[in-house]
Amino acid sequence: MTATDKTVVLGYVPTEIGRAALAAAIEECGRRGARLLVLNTTRADRLVDPNYAHAPAMEELDAALRGSGVDFEVRHFTSKQLASEDVLEAAEETGAELIVVGGGGRGPRGARIPRAGARGRRRAARGARRAGPGGGA
């Protein structure tokens, strides 16, 4: 992987919706010449979370990313906070130009959230979280 100043952050879930969001994020990275930071997290206090990727889903994600031609990093972990908060923290840390999250409930689509400052991103992430069942990223 090579360093770039531009970053797109993706809150990934291992579903059809998540794959649509991944495709949208890869497209945006190509368009912007940006690297892709993919996050898949779950709260440590959850015993079962269908939005948390396990080995087969992580292998599928890795294959898609390697075949995409974009520079990428994957962060896959348990957390003390909501996945949306982890995504926002990663965006703050990297100075991300764009956050992409999978929507939910009505079919495959990715929601693109342009850089709008911390307060705007928090409002946007809350809206994206409400759009899907469970609110996982």
Side-chain angles (χ1 to χ4, degrees):
M1 288 189 282
T2 60
T4 180
D5 294 331
K6 298 177 183 180
T7 302
V8 170
V9 173
L10 169 64
Y12 179 75
V13 294
T15 64
E16 184 178 351
I17 293 165
R19 287 184 289 280
L22 174 62
I26 289 169
E27 180 182 326
E28 286 294 335
C29 285
R31 190 175 301 153
R32 296 165 184 266
R35 70 186 282 272
L36 179 59
L37 174 57
V38 180
L39 277 86
N40 178 256
T41 72
T42 189
R43 285 195 15 193
D45 62 353
R46 288 189 176 183
L47 297 176
V48 177
D49 182 355
N51 291 322
Y52 189 66
H54 295 284
M58 290 304 294
E59 290 168 8
E60 179 183 320
L61 173 63
D62 185 62
L65 289 167
R66 289 189 186 282
S68 72
V70 302
D71 183 27
F72 68 90
E73 175 187 348
V74 176
R75 297 182 188 175
H76 183 240
F77 58 95
T78 58
S79 176
K80 293 182 182 179
Q81 55 192 12
L82 295 172
S84 58
E85 293 168 334
D86 292 325
V87 168
L88 289 171
E89 283 183 7
E92 296 275 330
E93 170 197 327
T94 62
E97 289 193 344
L98 185 73
I99 298 171
V100 180
V101 295
R106 296 189 184 120
R109 67 196 182 284
R112 294 180 176 102
I113 304 170
R115 186 172 183 169
R119 183 173 292 177
R121 286 196 301 270
R122 284 189 182 94
R123 277 196 296 261
R126 282 195 298 269
R129 192 172 66 237
R130 281 194 298 267

